[in-house]
Amino acid sequence: MIVVTGDIVAKPDTLDQVLALSLEHVRRSRAEPGCISHAVHRDEENALRLVFVEQWSDRAALLAHFAVPASRAFAKALGGLAAQAPTLQIYDAEPVQL
């Protein structure tokens, strides 16, 4: 499984737009092949920060997601609305039984 985390800090006047775009992106992404989960959360310590957590079945599914024109448009749009550069981390993960 591939786990993706990331965040964006919106400018105070762009928060509503960033949130709307993010929710649209998350909902669309959930329907893509190989998407196990895709969510956006608000940071309770920084009201302008949104955090993304995604799970993909494999690398091919994630690369296909990145190739979707709407995904590229989303990333480009967020860049212009952010107070600082958004972050993205990608992990190759496997479940651990405790």
Side-chain angles (χ1 to χ4, degrees):
M1 170 183 6
I2 304 295
V3 176
V4 179
T5 63
D7 76 333
I8 181 171
V9 177
K11 298 173 190 171
D13 61 332
T14 65
L15 179 60
D16 289 341
Q17 190 176 3
V18 168
L19 183 56
L21 287 170
S22 297
L23 288 170
E24 178 184 323
H25 174 71
V26 164
R27 290 173 181 145
R28 181 191 49 74
S29 298
R30 288 177 182 156
E32 292 179 27
C35 182
I36 298 167
S37 67
H38 201 300
V40 61
H41 305 276
R42 287 188 186 213
D43 183 333
E44 291 296 322
E45 295 179 315
N46 179 351
L48 296 175
R49 181 173 176 251
L50 300 179
V51 177
F52 298 87
V53 180
E54 310 170 29
Q55 293 177 316
W56 294 88
S57 59
D58 53 35
R59 179 183 172 91
L62 180 59
L63 291 175
H65 168 66
F66 287 157
V68 171
S71 292
R72 291 195 309 272
F74 167 72
K76 184 176 181 181
L78 279 193
L81 301 171
Q84 59 197 48
T87 69
L88 181 72
Q89 301 83 34
I90 302 171
Y91 304 94
D92 188 1
E94 54 187 70
V96 175
Q97 302 249 344
L98 296 180

Coordinates of all heavy atoms in Angstrom, one line a residue:
M1 N 0.8 -1.2 0.0 CA 0.0 0.0 0.0 C 0.9 1.2 0.0 O 2.0 1.2 0.6 CB -0.9 0.0 1.2 CG -1.6 1.3 1.4 SD -2.7 1.4 2.9 CE -2.4 0.0 3.9
I2 N 0.4 2.3 -0.6 CA 1.1 3.6 -0.7 C 0.3 4.5 0.2 O -0.9 4.7 0.1 CB 1.2 4.1 -2.1 CG1 1.9 3.1 -3.0 CG2 2.0 5.5 -2.1 CD1 3.4 2.9 -2.7
V3 N 1.0 5.2 1.1 CA 0.4 6.2 2.0 C 0.9 7.6 1.6 O 2.2 7.7 1.5 CB 0.6 5.9 3.5 CG1 0.1 7.0 4.4 CG2 0.1 4.6 3.9
V4 N 0.0 8.5 1.4 CA 0.4 9.9 1.0 C -0.1 10.8 2.1 O -1.3 10.7 2.5 CB -0.2 10.3 -0.3 CG1 0.2 11.7 -0.7 CG2 0.3 9.3 -1.4
T5 N 0.7 11.7 2.6 CA 0.3 12.8 3.5 C 0.8 14.1 2.9 O 1.8 14.1 2.2 CB 0.9 12.6 4.9 OG1 2.3 12.7 4.9 CG2 0.5 11.3 5.5
G6 N 0.1 15.1 3.2 CA 0.5 16.4 2.8 C -0.3 17.5 3.5 O -1.3 17.2 4.2
D7 N 0.1 18.7 3.3 CA -0.7 19.8 3.9 C -0.5 21.1 3.1 O 0.3 21.2 2.2 CB -0.2 20.1 5.3 CG 1.1 20.8 5.5 OD1 1.9 20.7 4.6 OD2 1.3 21.5 6.5
I8 N -1.5 22.0 3.4 CA -1.4 23.3 2.8 C -1.9 24.3 3.8 O -2.8 24.0 4.6 CB -2.4 23.5 1.5 CG1 -2.3 24.9 1.0 CG2 -3.8 23.1 1.8 CD1 -2.9 25.0 -0.4
V9 N -1.2 25.4 3.9 CA -1.6 26.6 4.7 C -2.1 27.6 3.8 O -1.4 28.1 2.9 CB -0.4 27.1 5.6 CG1 -0.9 28.3 6.4 CG2 0.2 26.0 6.5
A10 N -3.4 27.9 4.0 CA -4.1 28.9 3.1 C -3.8 30.3 3.6 O -3.5 30.5 4.8 CB -5.6 28.6 3.1
K11 N -3.9 31.2 2.7 CA -3.9 32.6 3.1 C -5.2 32.9 3.7 O -6.2 32.2 3.4 CB -3.7 33.5 1.8 CG -2.4 33.3 1.1 CD -2.4 34.1 -0.2 CE -1.3 33.7 -1.1 NZ -1.4 34.3 -2.4
P12 N -5.3 33.8 4.7 CA -6.6 34.0 5.4 C -7.8 34.3 4.4 O -8.9 33.8 4.7 CB -6.3 35.3 6.3 CG -4.8 35.2 6.5 CD -4.2 34.6 5.3
D13 N -7.5 35.0 3.3 CA -8.6 35.3 2.4 C -8.9 34.2 1.4 O -9.8 34.3 0.6 CB -8.3 36.6 1.7 CG -7.1 36.6 0.9 OD1 -6.1 35.9 1.2 OD2 -7.0 37.4 -0.1
T14 N -8.1 33.1 1.4 CA -8.4 32.0 0.5 C -8.8 30.7 1.1 O -9.1 29.8 0.4 CB -7.1 31.7 -0.4 OG1 -6.1 31.2 0.5 CG2 -6.6 33.0 -1.1
L15 N -9.0 30.7 2.4 CA -9.3 29.5 3.1 C -10.6 28.8 2.6 O -10.6 27.6 2.3 CB -9.5 29.7 4.6 CG -9.8 28.5 5.4 CD1 -8.8 27.4 5.3 CD2 -10.0 28.8 6.9
D16 N -11.6 29.6 2.4 CA -12.9 29.0 1.9 C -12.7 28.4 0.5 O -13.2 27.3 0.2 CB -14.0 30.0 1.8 CG -14.5 30.4 3.2 OD1 -14.2 29.7 4.2 OD2 -15.1 31.5 3.3
Q17 N -11.9 29.0 -0.3 CA -11.7 28.5 -1.7 C -10.8 27.2 -1.6 O -11.1 26.3 -2.3 CB -11.0 29.6 -2.6 CG -10.9 29.2 -4.0 CD -10.4 30.3 -4.9 OE1 -10.0 31.4 -4.4 NE2 -10.3 30.1 -6.2
V18 N -9.8 27.3 -0.8 CA -8.9 26.1 -0.6 C -9.7 24.9 -0.1 O -9.6 23.8 -0.6 CB -7.7 26.4 0.3 CG1 -7.0 25.2 0.7 CG2 -6.8 27.4 -0.3
L19 N -10.6 25.2 0.9 CA -11.4 24.1 1.4 C -12.3 23.5 0.4 O -12.4 22.3 0.3 CB -12.1 24.6 2.7 CG -13.0 23.5 3.4 CD1 -12.1 22.3 3.8 CD2 -13.7 24.1 4.6
A20 N -13.0 24.4 -0.4 CA -13.9 23.9 -1.4 C -13.2 23.1 -2.5 O -13.7 22.0 -2.8 CB -14.6 25.1 -2.0
L21 N -12.1 23.6 -2.9 CA -11.3 22.8 -3.9 C -10.8 21.5 -3.4 O -10.8 20.5 -4.1 CB -10.1 23.6 -4.4 CG -10.4 24.8 -5.3 CD1 -9.1 25.7 -5.5 CD2 -10.9 24.3 -6.7
S22 N -10.4 21.5 -2.1 CA -9.9 20.3 -1.5 C -10.9 19.2 -1.3 O -10.7 18.0 -1.6 CB -9.2 20.6 -0.1 OG -8.1 21.5 -0.3
L23 N -12.1 19.6 -0.9 CA -13.2 18.7 -0.8 C -13.6 18.1 -2.1 O -13.9 16.9 -2.2 CB -14.4 19.3 -0.1 CG -14.2 19.6 1.4 CD1 -15.4 20.5 1.9 CD2 -14.1 18.3 2.2
E24 N -13.7 18.9 -3.1 CA -14.0 18.4 -4.5 C -12.9 17.4 -4.9 O -13.3 16.4 -5.5 CB -14.0 19.6 -5.4 CG -14.3 19.3 -6.9 CD -14.2 20.5 -7.8 OE1 -14.6 21.6 -7.4 OE2 -13.7 20.4 -8.9
H25 N -11.6 17.7 -4.7 CA -10.6 16.8 -5.1 C -10.6 15.5 -4.4 O -10.5 14.4 -5.0 CB -9.2 17.5 -4.8 CG -8.0 16.6 -5.1 ND1 -7.6 16.2 -6.3 CD2 -7.2 16.0 -4.2 CE1 -6.6 15.5 -6.2 NE2 -6.3 15.3 -5.0
V26 N -10.9 15.6 -3.1 CA -11.0 14.3 -2.3 C -12.1 13.5 -2.7 O -11.9 12.2 -2.9 CB -11.1 14.7 -0.8 CG1 -11.6 13.5 0.1 CG2 -9.8 15.2 -0.2
R27 N -13.3 14.1 -2.9 CA -14.4 13.3 -3.4 C -14.2 12.6 -4.7 O -14.6 11.5 -5.0 CB -15.7 14.2 -3.3 CG -16.1 14.5 -1.9 CD -17.2 15.5 -1.8 NE -17.5 15.8 -0.4 CZ -17.9 17.0 0.0 NH1 -18.0 18.0 -0.9 NH2 -18.1 17.2 1.3
R28 N -13.6 13.4 -5.7 CA -13.3 12.8 -7.0 C -12.3 11.7 -6.9 O -12.4 10.7 -7.5 CB -12.8 14.0 -7.9 CG -12.5 13.5 -9.3 CD -11.8 14.5 -10.2 NE -10.6 15.1 -9.5 CZ -9.5 14.4 -9.3 NH1 -9.3 13.2 -9.7 NH2 -8.5 15.0 -8.7
S29 N -11.3 11.9 -6.1 CA -10.2 10.9 -6.0 C -10.7 9.6 -5.4 O -10.2 8.6 -5.8 CB -9.1 11.5 -5.1 OG -8.5 12.7 -5.7
R30 N -11.6 9.7 -4.5 CA -12.1 8.4 -3.9 C -12.7 7.5 -4.9 O -12.8 6.3 -4.7 CB -13.2 8.8 -2.9 CG -12.6 9.4 -1.6 CD -13.8 9.8 -0.7 NE -13.2 10.4 0.5 CZ -13.9 11.2 1.3 NH1 -15.2 11.5 1.0 NH2 -13.4 11.8 2.3
A31 N -13.1 8.0 -6.1 CA -13.8 7.2 -7.1 C -12.7 6.6 -8.1 O -13.1 5.7 -8.9 CB -14.8 8.0 -7.9
E32 N -11.5 6.9 -7.9 CA -10.4 6.5 -8.8 C -10.0 5.0 -8.5 O -10.0 4.6 -7.3 CB -9.2 7.4 -8.8 CG -9.4 8.7 -9.3 CD -8.2 9.6 -9.2 OE1 -7.1 9.1 -9.2 OE2 -8.4 10.8 -9.2
P33 N -9.7 4.2 -9.5 CA -9.2 2.9 -9.3 C -8.0 2.9 -8.4 O -7.1 3.7 -8.5 CB -8.8 2.3 -10.7 CG -9.6 3.2 -11.6 CD -9.7 4.6 -10.9
G34 N -8.0 2.0 -7.4 CA -6.8 1.9 -6.5 C -6.9 2.8 -5.3 O -6.0 2.7 -4.4
C35 N -7.8 3.7 -5.2 CA -7.9 4.6 -4.0 C -8.6 3.8 -2.9 O -9.8 3.4 -3.0 CB -8.7 5.8 -4.3 SG -8.8 7.0 -2.9
I36 N -7.9 3.6 -1.8 CA -8.4 2.9 -0.6 C -9.1 4.0 0.3 O -10.2 3.7 0.8 CB -7.3 2.2 0.1 CG1 -6.7 1.1 -0.8 CG2 -7.8 1.6 1.5 CD1 -5.4 0.5 -0.2
S37 N -8.5 5.1 0.5 CA -9.1 6.2 1.2 C -8.4 7.5 0.8 O -7.2 7.5 0.4 CB -8.9 6.0 2.7 OG -7.6 6.0 3.1
H38 N -9.1 8.6 1.0 CA -8.6 9.9 0.6 C -9.4 10.9 1.5 O -10.6 10.9 1.4 CB -8.8 10.2 -0.9 CG -7.9 11.2 -1.4 ND1 -7.9 12.5 -1.0 CD2 -7.0 11.2 -2.5 CE1 -7.0 13.2 -1.7 NE2 -6.5 12.4 -2.6
A39 N -8.7 11.7 2.3 CA -9.4 12.6 3.2 C -8.6 13.9 3.4 O -7.4 13.9 3.3 CB -9.6 11.9 4.6
V40 N -9.3 14.9 3.8 CA -8.7 16.2 4.1 C -9.3 16.5 5.5 O -10.5 16.3 5.8 CB -9.0 17.3 3.1 CG1 -10.5 17.6 3.0 CG2 -8.3 18.6 3.4
H41 N -8.4 17.1 6.4 CA -8.7 17.4 7.8 C -8.3 18.8 8.1 O -7.2 19.3 7.6 CB -8.0 16.4 8.7 CG -8.3 15.0 8.4 ND1 -9.5 14.4 8.9 CD2 -7.6 14.1 7.7 CE1 -9.4 13.1 8.5 NE2 -8.3 12.9 7.7
R42 N -9.0 19.5 9.0 CA -8.5 20.8 9.5 C -7.6 20.6 10.7 O -7.9 19.8 11.5 CB -9.7 21.6 9.9 CG -10.5 22.1 8.7 CD -11.5 23.1 9.2 NE -12.4 23.5 8.1 CZ -12.9 24.7 8.0 NH1 -12.7 25.6 8.9 NH2 -13.7 25.0 7.0
D43 N -6.6 21.4 10.7 CA -5.7 21.4 11.8 C -6.3 22.2 13.0 O -6.5 23.4 12.8 CB -4.3 22.0 11.4 CG -3.2 21.9 12.5 OD1 -3.6 22.0 13.7 OD2 -2.1 21.9 12.1
E44 N -6.5 21.6 14.1 CA -7.1 22.3 15.2 C -6.2 23.3 15.9 O -6.6 24.2 16.6 CB -7.6 21.3 16.3 CG -8.8 20.5 15.9 CD -10.0 21.4 15.6 OE1 -10.3 22.3 16.4 OE2 -10.7 21.1 14.6
E45 N -4.9 23.3 15.6 CA -3.9 24.2 16.1 C -3.6 25.4 15.2 O -3.1 26.4 15.6 CB -2.6 23.5 16.5 CG -2.8 22.5 17.6 CD -1.5 21.8 17.9 OE1 -0.8 21.3 17.0 OE2 -1.2 21.6 19.2
N46 N -3.9 25.2 13.9 CA -3.7 26.3 12.9 C -4.9 26.2 12.0 O -5.0 25.4 11.1 CB -2.4 26.0 12.1 CG -2.2 27.1 11.1 OD1 -3.1 27.9 10.8 ND2 -1.0 27.1 10.5
A47 N -5.9 27.1 12.2 CA -7.1 27.1 11.4 C -7.0 27.3 9.9 O -7.9 27.0 9.2 CB -8.0 28.2 12.0
L48 N -5.8 27.8 9.5 CA -5.6 27.9 8.1 C -4.9 26.7 7.4 O -4.7 26.7 6.2 CB -4.7 29.2 7.8 CG -5.3 30.5 8.3 CD1 -4.2 31.6 8.1 CD2 -6.5 30.8 7.5
R49 N -4.6 25.7 8.2 CA -3.9 24.5 7.7 C -4.8 23.3 7.5 O -5.6 23.0 8.3 CB -2.8 24.1 8.6 CG -2.0 22.9 8.2 CD -0.8 22.7 9.1 NE 0.0 21.5 8.8 CZ 0.0 20.4 9.5 NH1 -0.7 20.3 10.6 NH2 0.7 19.4 9.0
L50 N -4.8 22.8 6.2 CA -5.5 21.5 5.9 C -4.5 20.4 5.7 O -3.4 20.6 5.2 CB -6.3 21.7 4.7 CG -7.4 22.8 4.7 CD1 -8.1 22.9 3.3 CD2 -8.4 22.6 5.8
V51 N -4.8 19.2 6.2 CA -3.9 18.1 6.1 C -4.6 17.0 5.3 O -5.8 16.7 5.6 CB -3.6 17.5 7.6 CG1 -2.7 16.3 7.5 CG2 -2.9 18.6 8.4
F52 N -3.9 16.4 4.4 CA -4.4 15.3 3.5 C -3.8 14.0 4.0 O -2.6 13.9 4.2 CB -4.1 15.6 2.1 CG -4.7 16.8 1.5 CD1 -4.0 18.1 1.7 CD2 -5.9 16.8 0.9 CE1 -4.6 19.2 1.2 CE2 -6.5 18.0 0.4 CZ -5.8 19.2 0.5
V53 N -4.6 13.0 4.0 CA -4.2 11.6 4.2 C -4.8 10.7 3.2 O -6.0 10.7 3.1 CB -4.5 11.1 5.7 CG1 -4.0 9.7 5.9 CG2 -4.0 12.1 6.7
E54 N -4.0 10.0 2.5 CA -4.5 9.1 1.4 C -3.8 7.7 1.5 O -2.7 7.6 1.9 CB -4.1 9.7 0.0 CG -4.4 11.1 -0.2 CD -3.7 11.7 -1.4 OE1 -3.5 10.9 -2.4 OE2 -3.5 12.9 -1.5
Q55 N -4.6 6.7 1.0 CA -4.1 5.4 0.9 C -4.4 4.9 -0.5 O -5.5 5.0 -0.9 CB -4.7 4.4 1.9 CG -4.3 4.7 3.4 CD -5.1 3.8 4.3 OE1 -6.3 3.5 4.2 NE2 -4.3 3.3 5.3
W56 N -3.4 4.3 -1.2 CA -3.5 3.8 -2.5 C -3.1 2.4 -2.6 O -2.1 2.0 -1.8 CB -2.7 4.7 -3.5 CG -3.3 6.1 -3.6 CD1 -2.9 7.1 -2.8 CD2 -4.3 6.5 -4.5 NE1 -3.7 8.2 -3.1 CE2 -4.5 7.9 -4.2 CE3 -5.0 5.9 -5.5 CZ2 -5.5 8.6 -4.9 CZ3 -5.9 6.7 -6.2 CH2 -6.2 8.0 -5.9
S57 N -3.7 1.6 -3.4 CA -3.4 0.1 -3.4 C -1.9 -0.1 -3.8 O -1.3 -1.1 -3.3 CB -4.3 -0.6 -4.4 OG -4.2 0.0 -5.7
D58 N -1.4 0.7 -4.8 CA 0.0 0.5 -5.2 C 0.5 1.7 -5.9 O -0.3 2.7 -6.1 CB 0.1 -0.7 -6.1 CG -0.9 -0.7 -7.3 OD1 -1.2 0.4 -7.8 OD2 -1.4 -1.8 -7.7
R59 N 1.7 1.7 -6.3 CA 2.4 2.8 -7.0 C 1.7 3.2 -8.3 O 1.5 4.4 -8.6 CB 3.9 2.5 -7.2 CG 4.7 3.5 -7.9 CD 6.1 3.0 -8.1 NE 6.9 3.9 -9.0 CZ 7.6 4.9 -8.5 NH1 7.7 5.1 -7.2 NH2 8.3 5.7 -9.3
A60 N 1.3 2.2 -9.1 CA 0.7 2.4 -10.3 C -0.6 3.2 -10.2 O -0.9 4.1 -10.9 CB 0.4 1.1 -11.1
A61 N -1.4 2.9 -9.1 CA -2.7 3.6 -8.9 C -2.4 5.1 -8.5 O -3.1 6.0 -9.0 CB -3.5 3.0 -7.8
L62 N -1.3 5.3 -7.7 CA -1.0 6.7 -7.3 C -0.5 7.5 -8.5 O -0.9 8.6 -8.7 CB 0.1 6.7 -6.2 CG 0.5 8.1 -5.8 CD1 -0.7 8.9 -5.2 CD2 1.6 7.9 -4.7
L63 N 0.4 6.8 -9.4 CA 0.9 7.5 -10.5 C -0.3 7.9 -11.5 O -0.3 8.9 -12.1 CB 1.9 6.7 -11.2 CG 3.3 6.6 -10.5 CD1 4.2 5.6 -11.2 CD2 3.9 7.9 -10.3
A64 N -1.3 7.0 -11.6 CA -2.4 7.2 -12.5 C -3.2 8.4 -11.9 O -3.7 9.3 -12.6 CB -3.3 6.0 -12.6
H65 N -3.3 8.5 -10.6 CA -4.0 9.6 -9.9 C -3.3 10.9 -10.2 O -3.9 11.9 -10.6 CB -4.0 9.4 -8.4 CG -4.4 10.5 -7.6 ND1 -5.7 11.1 -7.6 CD2 -3.7 11.3 -6.7 CE1 -5.7 12.1 -6.8 NE2 -4.5 12.3 -6.2
F66 N -2.0 10.9 -10.1 CA -1.2 12.1 -10.4 C -1.4 12.6 -11.9 O -1.2 13.7 -12.2 CB 0.3 11.9 -10.1 CG 0.6 11.9 -8.6 CD1 1.7 11.3 -8.2 CD2 -0.2 12.5 -7.7 CE1 2.1 11.3 -6.8 CE2 0.1 12.5 -6.3 CZ 1.2 11.9 -5.9
A67 N -1.6 11.6 -12.8 CA -1.8 11.9 -14.2 C -3.1 12.4 -14.6 O -3.3 12.9 -15.7 CB -1.4 10.6 -15.0
V68 N -4.1 12.3 -13.7 CA -5.5 12.8 -14.0 C -5.4 14.3 -14.2 O -4.9 15.0 -13.3 CB -6.4 12.4 -12.9 CG1 -7.8 13.1 -13.1 CG2 -6.6 10.9 -12.8
P69 N -5.9 14.9 -15.3 CA -5.8 16.3 -15.5 C -6.4 17.1 -14.3 O -5.9 18.2 -14.0 CB -6.6 16.5 -16.8 CG -6.5 15.2 -17.5 CD -6.5 14.2 -16.5
A70 N -7.5 16.6 -13.7 CA -8.1 17.3 -12.6 C -7.2 17.4 -11.4 O -7.2 18.3 -10.6 CB -9.5 16.7 -12.2
S71 N -6.4 16.3 -11.2 CA -5.4 16.3 -10.1 C -4.3 17.4 -10.3 O -3.9 18.1 -9.4 CB -4.8 14.9 -9.9 OG -5.8 14.0 -9.5
R72 N -3.9 17.4 -11.5 CA -2.8 18.4 -11.9 C -3.4 19.9 -11.7 O -2.7 20.8 -11.2 CB -2.3 18.2 -13.3 CG -1.4 16.9 -13.3 CD -0.6 16.8 -14.6 NE -1.3 17.1 -15.8 CZ -1.9 16.1 -16.5 NH1 -1.9 14.9 -16.1 NH2 -2.5 16.4 -17.7
A73 N -4.6 20.1 -12.2 CA -5.2 21.4 -12.1 C -5.4 21.8 -10.6 O -5.3 22.9 -10.2 CB -6.6 21.4 -12.8
F74 N -5.8 20.8 -9.8 CA -6.0 21.0 -8.3 C -4.7 21.5 -7.7 O -4.7 22.5 -7.0 CB -6.5 19.7 -7.7 CG -6.4 19.8 -6.2 CD1 -7.3 20.5 -5.4 CD2 -5.5 19.0 -5.5 CE1 -7.2 20.6 -4.0 CE2 -5.4 19.0 -4.1 CZ -6.3 19.8 -3.4
A75 N -3.6 20.8 -8.0 CA -2.3 21.1 -7.4 C -1.9 22.5 -7.8 O -1.4 23.3 -7.0 CB -1.3 20.1 -7.8
K76 N -2.1 22.8 -9.1 CA -1.7 24.2 -9.6 C -2.6 25.2 -8.9 O -2.0 26.3 -8.5 CB -1.9 24.2 -11.1 CG -1.4 25.5 -11.8 CD -1.5 25.4 -13.3 CE -1.1 26.7 -13.9 NZ -1.2 26.8 -15.3
A77 N -3.8 25.0 -8.8 CA -4.7 26.0 -8.2 C -4.3 26.3 -6.7 O -4.3 27.4 -6.3 CB -6.2 25.6 -8.3
L78 N -4.0 25.2 -6.0 CA -3.7 25.3 -4.6 C -2.4 26.1 -4.4 O -2.3 27.0 -3.5 CB -3.5 24.0 -3.9 CG -4.7 23.2 -3.5 CD1 -4.3 22.1 -2.6 CD2 -5.7 24.1 -2.8
G79 N -1.5 25.9 -5.3 CA -0.2 26.7 -5.2 C -0.4 28.2 -5.2 O 0.3 28.9 -4.4
G80 N -1.4 28.7 -5.9 CA -1.6 30.1 -6.0 C -2.4 30.6 -4.8 O -2.5 31.8 -4.6
L81 N -3.0 29.7 -4.0 CA -3.8 30.1 -2.9 C -3.1 29.9 -1.5 O -3.7 30.3 -0.5 CB -5.1 29.3 -2.9 CG -6.0 29.5 -4.1 CD1 -7.1 28.4 -4.1 CD2 -6.5 30.9 -4.3
A82 N -2.0 29.3 -1.6 CA -1.2 29.0 -0.4 C -0.4 30.1 0.2 O 0.2 30.9 -0.5 CB -0.3 27.8 -0.6
A83 N -0.3 30.1 1.5 CA 0.6 31.1 2.2 C 2.0 30.7 2.1 O 2.9 31.5 2.3 CB 0.1 31.3 3.6
Q84 N 2.3 29.4 1.9 CA 3.6 28.8 1.8 C 3.5 27.6 0.9 O 2.4 27.1 0.6 CB 4.2 28.5 3.2 CG 3.3 27.5 4.0 CD 3.7 27.4 5.4 OE1 3.8 28.4 6.1 NE2 3.8 26.2 6.0
A85 N 4.6 27.0 0.5 CA 4.5 25.9 -0.4 C 3.9 24.7 0.3 O 4.2 24.3 1.4 CB 6.0 25.5 -0.8
P86 N 2.9 24.1 -0.4 CA 2.3 22.9 0.2 C 3.3 21.7 0.3 O 4.3 21.7 -0.5 CB 1.2 22.5 -0.9 CG 0.9 23.8 -1.6 CD 2.2 24.5 -1.6
T87 N 3.1 20.8 1.2 CA 4.0 19.7 1.3 C 3.3 18.4 0.8 O 2.1 18.3 0.8 CB 4.4 19.5 2.8 OG1 3.3 19.0 3.6 CG2 5.0 20.7 3.4
L88 N 4.1 17.4 0.5 CA 3.7 16.1 0.1 C 4.7 15.1 0.4 O 5.9 15.2 0.1 CB 3.5 16.1 -1.5 CG 2.9 14.8 -2.1 CD1 1.5 14.6 -1.7 CD2 3.1 14.8 -3.6
Q89 N 4.3 14.0 1.2 CA 5.2 12.9 1.5 C 4.5 11.6 1.0 O 3.3 11.4 1.2 CB 5.4 12.8 3.0 CG 6.0 14.1 3.7 CD 4.9 15.1 4.0 OE1 3.8 14.8 4.3 NE2 5.3 16.4 3.9
I90 N 5.3 10.7 0.5 CA 4.8 9.5 -0.1 C 5.6 8.3 0.6 O 6.8 8.3 0.6 CB 5.0 9.4 -1.6 CG1 4.3 10.6 -2.2 CG2 4.5 8.1 -2.1 CD1 4.5 10.8 -3.7
Y91 N 4.8 7.4 1.1 CA 5.4 6.2 1.8 C 5.0 4.9 1.3 O 3.8 4.7 1.0 CB 5.0 6.3 3.3 CG 5.4 7.6 4.0 CD1 4.4 8.6 4.1 CD2 6.6 7.8 4.6 CE1 4.8 9.8 4.7 CE2 7.0 9.0 5.2 CZ 6.0 10.0 5.3 OH 6.3 11.2 5.9
D92 N 5.9 4.0 1.1 CA 5.6 2.6 0.8 C 5.3 1.9 2.1 O 6.2 1.8 3.0 CB 6.7 2.0 0.0 CG 6.4 0.6 -0.5 OD1 5.3 0.1 -0.4 OD2 7.3 0.0 -1.1
A93 N 4.1 1.4 2.4 CA 3.8 0.9 3.7 C 3.2 -0.5 3.6 O 2.6 -0.9 2.6 CB 2.7 1.8 4.3
E94 N 3.3 -1.2 4.7 CA 2.6 -2.5 4.8 C 2.0 -2.6 6.2 O 2.6 -2.0 7.1 CB 3.5 -3.6 4.5 CG 4.8 -3.7 5.3 CD 5.7 -4.8 4.9 OE1 6.3 -4.7 3.8 OE2 5.8 -5.8 5.6
P95 N 0.8 -3.2 6.3 CA 0.2 -3.3 7.6 C 1.0 -4.1 8.6 O 1.7 -5.0 8.2 CB -1.1 -4.0 7.3 CG -1.3 -3.9 5.9 CD 0.0 -3.8 5.3
V96 N 0.9 -3.7 9.9 CA 1.7 -4.3 10.9 C 0.6 -4.9 11.9 O -0.2 -4.1 12.4 CB 2.6 -3.4 11.6 CG1 3.3 -4.0 12.8 CG2 3.7 -2.8 10.7
Q97 N 0.7 -6.1 12.3 CA -0.2 -6.7 13.3 C 0.5 -6.6 14.6 O 1.6 -7.0 14.8 CB -0.5 -8.2 12.9 CG -1.1 -8.3 11.5 CD -2.5 -8.8 11.6 OE1 -3.0 -9.3 12.6 NE2 -3.2 -8.7 10.5
L98 N -0.2 -6.1 15.6 CA 0.3 -6.0 17.0 C -0.4 -7.0 17.9 O -1.4 -7.4 17.7 CB 0.1 -4.6 17.5 CG 0.9 -3.5 16.8 CD1 0.6 -2.2 17.4 CD2 2.3 -3.8 16.8

